[in-house]
């Protein structure tokens, strides 16, 4: 999914000028990463509401962690997800949405096609990592937000009818 110049939508070099010093490098690189992620999602034809919601969740995690993506860790994510459930009372499906947004952003930030890991390594001496591993995050299979409905029997005029409750 490369553009005409052979660079993937959302790649670091499309958002940061090479060799130009940045006034606030941490903030500017993070904003460029978010812009690139937005472009990558737009290229996949996702709805703006989906993209904006994901970005809000990633920004919320960065604010809670008080760190930029190249300094995030799994324990920071675990702490935040725990706070969302225990302190803020988020439901399982809401928590799953937060985890999914952070996981997808980390997938993007660590994908070599977009070169953000190399850019961060060059600028900050470290790089983003995946902080939401599938063995630690809620999945749709085990934490479904749906309740299983048991069949009930209703008596109708003329007979019995089996219905979902």
């Amino acid at each position: 999914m490369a553009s005409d110049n052979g660079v993937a939508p959302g790649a670091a070099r499309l958002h940061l000028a090479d060799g130009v010093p940045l006034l606030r490098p941490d903030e500017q690189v993070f904003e460029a990463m978010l812009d690139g992620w937005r472009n990558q999602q737009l290229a996949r034809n996702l709805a703006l509401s989906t993209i904006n919601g994901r970005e809000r969740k990633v920004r919320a995690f960065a604010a809670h962690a008080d760190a930029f993506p190249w300094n995030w860790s799994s324990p920071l994510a675990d702490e935040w997800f725990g706070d969302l459930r225990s302190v803020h009372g988020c439901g399982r499906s809401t928590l799953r949405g937060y985890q999914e947004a952070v996981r997808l952003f980390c997938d993007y930030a660590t994908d070599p096609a977009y070169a953000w890991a190399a850019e961060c390594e060059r600028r900050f001496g470290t790089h983003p990592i995946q902080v939401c591993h599938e063995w630690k995050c809620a999945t749709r299979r085990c934490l479904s937000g749906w309740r299983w409905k048991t069949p009930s029997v209703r008596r109708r005029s003329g007979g019995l009818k089996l219905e979902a409750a």
Side-chain angles (χ1 to χ4, degrees):
M1 186 165 66
S3 63
D4 293 341
N5 60 1
V7 179
R13 68 183 221 206
L14 292 178
H15 294 273
L16 295 172
D18 201 27
V20 176
L22 302 175
L23 183 60
R24 294 178 321 279
D26 288 343
E27 294 172 23
Q28 289 173 284
V29 169
F30 182 46
E31 289 301 320
M33 289 174 95
L34 289 170
D35 287 346
W37 188 41
R38 171 178 285 277
N39 289 345
Q40 182 249 17
Q41 293 176 91
L42 286 169
R44 292 174 42 219
N45 202 30
L46 296 179
L48 283 175
S49 59
T50 299
I51 296 167
N52 292 336
R54 287 176 176 173
E55 182 178 331
R56 278 192 305 276
K57 291 168 183 159
V58 168
R59 286 182 185 280
F61 174 57
H64 177 86
D66 194 25
F68 292 103
W70 46 93
N71 291 319
W72 291 353
S73 66
S74 290
L76 284 174
D78 293 344
E79 177 188 312
W80 187 54
F81 298 138
D83 283 355
L84 287 174
R85 284 283 285 156
S86 62
V87 176
H88 298 286
C90 287
R92 292 182 208 164
S93 61
T94 302
L95 179 66
R96 191 173 52 243
Y98 279 92
Q99 290 174 335
E100 180 180 34
V102 172
R103 181 184 56 79
L104 291 170
F105 177 78
C106 289
D107 283 347
Y108 163 76
T110 58
D111 188 329
Y114 302 108
W116 285 109
E119 184 68 26
C120 292
E121 186 73 39
R122 188 176 67 75
R123 288 182 186 268
F124 309 114
T126 187
H127 56 84
I129 60 168
Q130 179 57 265
V131 298
C132 293
H133 305 282
E134 77 180 49
W135 63 87
K136 292 172 56 172
C137 291
T139 63
R140 292 191 188 282
R141 277 179 292 172
C142 67
L143 293 178
S144 175
W146 296 94
R147 291 190 184 149
W148 290 104
K149 296 186 177 187
T150 57
S152 65
V153 177
R154 292 181 124 180
R155 190 172 299 275
R156 287 221 146 132
S157 60
L160 297 176
K161 183 173 181 174
L162 186 63
E163 294 181 349

